[in-house]
């Protein structure tokens, strides 16, 4: 029996993670936490309980945790990197004050907490190729600052209070279900929509810019696998590098053209996103995750592209 709260259940990761948890842990109650204006709909609404869960409302969160006897929180509330640059104070409020509220409740009520970190937790001085698990983390974006602080605060609560905090550094996540909003890696999702719709794609990231990316099923699997892992094997907690593929724009365009040769692309580089992208790793070393909890991705660029195109055609009603 598990009682899980997913905070941010209608977002890019949460919408799929909530459904996967409900499907794969049948004895569990999985509460879909949301904020007003981003209410769950359809299957997400109908397949289990939902509740307003604003990370900035500590009393409200504590009430949900008590009402549903929550033992695990997946905390997915965050502004992505480009939006966080436009709204740094809001990003701090959600990502830091919100996290502190969650960790305090977790400490009082014995709840395990997963809060993702990101490739965004690295910065220009980080070794860019084969980025090690333990290395320099001096990001220049507000998103990155909050992600490094998330790692530190989560580890602090583990070491000081024994709160079971665990985390992965997600690469750019690619999926056909819910669009990301305002991230630096979003181009790698959006180009699939343009390709399937037969529209020209305008790329905000310069050719030659490598970033780690991952197909959503692998990312969801990683989060659940880590939270289920044997704690005695974990030498790290917050946060693990995980990796499956790394590419630059021309490589993903070439891969899509193997299936949709008509894809047209032009570049209109966004300086804010480009500066962020340039400061991030080109490819991460995920050997600690492989050793400590048997992490292994399933999808590569080719199998992801086949699956994305098939499912987007169905979703958008395009032949
Ligand atoms: N996908 C995120 C972003 O681009 C990085 O974790 O902001």
């Amino acid at each position: 029996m598990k009682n899980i709260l997913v905070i941010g259940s209608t977002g890019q990761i949460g919408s799929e993670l909530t459904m996967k948890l409900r499907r794969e842990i049948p004895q569990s109650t999985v509460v879909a936490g949301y904020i007003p204006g981003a209410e769950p709909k359809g299957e997400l609404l109908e397949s289990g309980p939902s509740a307003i869960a604003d990370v900035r409302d500590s009393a409200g969160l504590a009430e949900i945790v008590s009402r549903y006897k929550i033992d695990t929180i997946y905390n997915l509330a965050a502004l992505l990197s480009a939006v966080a640059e436009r709204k740094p104070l809001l990003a701090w409020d959600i990502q830091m004050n919100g996290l502190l509220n969650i960790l305090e409740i977790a400490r009082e009520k014995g709840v395990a907490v997963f809060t993702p970190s990101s490739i965004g937790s690295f910065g220009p001085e980080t070794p860019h190729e084969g980025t090690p698990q333990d290395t320099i983390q001096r990001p220049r974006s507000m998103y990155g600052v909050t992600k490094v602080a998330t790692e530190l605060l989560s580890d602090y609560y583990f070491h000081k209070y024994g709160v079971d905090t665990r985390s992965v550094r997600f690469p750019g996540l690619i999926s056909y279900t819910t669009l990301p909003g305002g991230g630096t890696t979003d181009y790698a999702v959006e180009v699939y929509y343009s390709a399937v719709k037969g529209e020209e794609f305008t790329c905000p990231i310069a050719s030659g810019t490598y970033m780690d990316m991952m197909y959503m099923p692998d990312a969801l699997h990683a989060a659940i696998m880590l939270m289920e892992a044997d704690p005695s094997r974990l030498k790290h907690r917050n946060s693990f590098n995980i990796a499956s593929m790394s590419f630059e724009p021309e490589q993903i365009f070439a891969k899509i053209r193997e299936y949709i040769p008509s894809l047209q692309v032009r570049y209109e580089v966004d300086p804010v996103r480009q500066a962020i992208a340039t400061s991030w790793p080109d490819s991460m070393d995920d050997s600690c995750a492989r050793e400590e909890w048997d992490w292994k991705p399933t999808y590569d660029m080719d199998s992801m592209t086949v699956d994305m195109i098939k499912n987007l055609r169905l979703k958008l009603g395009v032949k």
Side-chain angles (χ1 to χ4, degrees):
M1 273 285 280
K2 269 187 132 12
N3 296 319
I4 299 169
L5 170 63
V6 179
I7 297 176
S9 69
T10 59
Q12 187 202 9
I13 303 172
S15 54
E16 294 190 55
L17 183 67
T18 307
M19 293 309 302
K20 185 175 168 78
L21 288 165
R22 283 180 178 162
R23 271 195 308 270
E24 292 185 5
I25 316 184
Q27 297 298 315
S28 66
T29 299
V30 183
V31 181
Y34 65 94
I35 50 170
E39 286 80 6
K41 296 188 187 84
E43 208 190 357
L44 187 60
L45 176 66
E46 283 146 25
S47 58
S50 50
I52 293 179
D54 185 335
V55 290
R56 295 165 297 175
D57 172 14
S58 174
L61 284 182
E63 196 277 317
I64 298 169
V65 168
S66 298
R67 183 169 11 131
Y68 291 100
K69 298 188 171 52
I70 296 296
D71 51 58
T72 305
I73 293 176
Y74 287 87
N75 168 27
L76 306 173
L79 297 189
L80 290 183
S81 53
V83 180
E85 284 310 285
R86 286 203 304 276
K87 301 177 183 171
L89 299 188
L90 182 61
W92 182 271
D93 201 22
I94 293 171
Q95 271 124 255
M96 299 320 312
N97 297 333
L99 175 64
L100 199 60
N101 287 336
I102 292 167
L103 290 172
E104 272 298 291
I105 293 166
R107 177 176 71 78
E108 282 165 14
K109 300 187 191 283
V111 176
V113 182
F114 174 88
T115 310
S117 184
S118 158
I119 50 174
S121 68
F122 298 112
E125 294 92 2
T126 303
H128 273 37
E129 275 170 41
T131 301
Q133 169 67 38
D134 302 310
T135 187
I136 303 164
Q137 290 182 278
R138 304 283 299 173
R140 304 258 174 98
S141 67
M142 179 50 101
Y143 180 75
V145 168
T146 65
K147 287 299 174 188
V148 176
T150 291
E151 295 188 9
L152 292 172
L153 197 58
S154 299
D155 266 347
Y156 179 83
Y157 269 73
F158 170 66
H159 289 296
K160 180 144 178 152
Y161 302 118
V163 177
D164 187 0
T165 54
R166 307 181 190 191
S167 169
V168 295
R169 295 178 182 133
F170 280 134
L173 299 182
I174 298 173
S175 76
Y176 56 86
T177 304
T178 307
L179 279 166
T184 300
T185 55
D186 295 11
Y187 90 89
V189 179
E190 288 158 0
V191 64
Y192 282 99
Y193 279 77
S194 297
V196 166
K197 288 194 222 162
E199 293 170 357
E200 184 185 53
F201 178 64
T202 306
C203 186
I205 300 295
S207 125
T209 311
Y210 280 84
M211 285 186 276
D212 279 286
M213 301 280 179
M214 183 174 287
Y215 198 33
M216 188 62 88
D218 279 331
L220 303 178
H221 185 56
I224 297 173
M225 208 181 161
L226 176 58
M227 290 314 278
E228 302 287 321
D230 173 359
S232 69
R233 287 180 62 197
L234 302 180
K235 296 194 195 89
H236 297 83
R237 279 182 168 260
N238 302 284
S239 178
F240 282 95
N241 284 4
I242 55 168
S244 62
M245 62 185 93
S246 163
F247 53 76
E248 56 96 12
E250 287 302 324
Q251 289 174 319
I252 189 75
F253 303 156
K255 177 51 73 184
I256 293 172
R257 284 193 186 107
E258 287 178 23
Y259 301 94
I260 305 179
S262 59
L263 171 65
Q264 298 283 333
V265 176
R266 70 186 180 91
Y267 286 90
E268 203 173 287
V269 173
D270 168 12
V272 173
R273 286 177 210 233
Q274 185 59 37
I276 293 173
T278 307
S279 76
W280 287 356
D282 295 352
S283 64
M284 286 194 289
D285 174 355
D286 62 359
S287 47
C288 290
R290 288 173 188 261
E291 274 162 34
E292 293 174 39
W293 47 280
D294 307 320
W295 154 250
K296 196 166 168 296
T298 305
Y299 286 89
D300 61 14
M301 241 165 103
D302 192 60
S303 50
M304 171 180 80
T305 298
V306 169
D307 202 58
M308 275 295 283
I309 292 173
K310 184 184 85 188
N311 282 291
L312 272 182
R313 281 185 171 142
L314 286 171
K315 179 178 170 176
L316 302 173
V318 176
K319 290 228 174 80

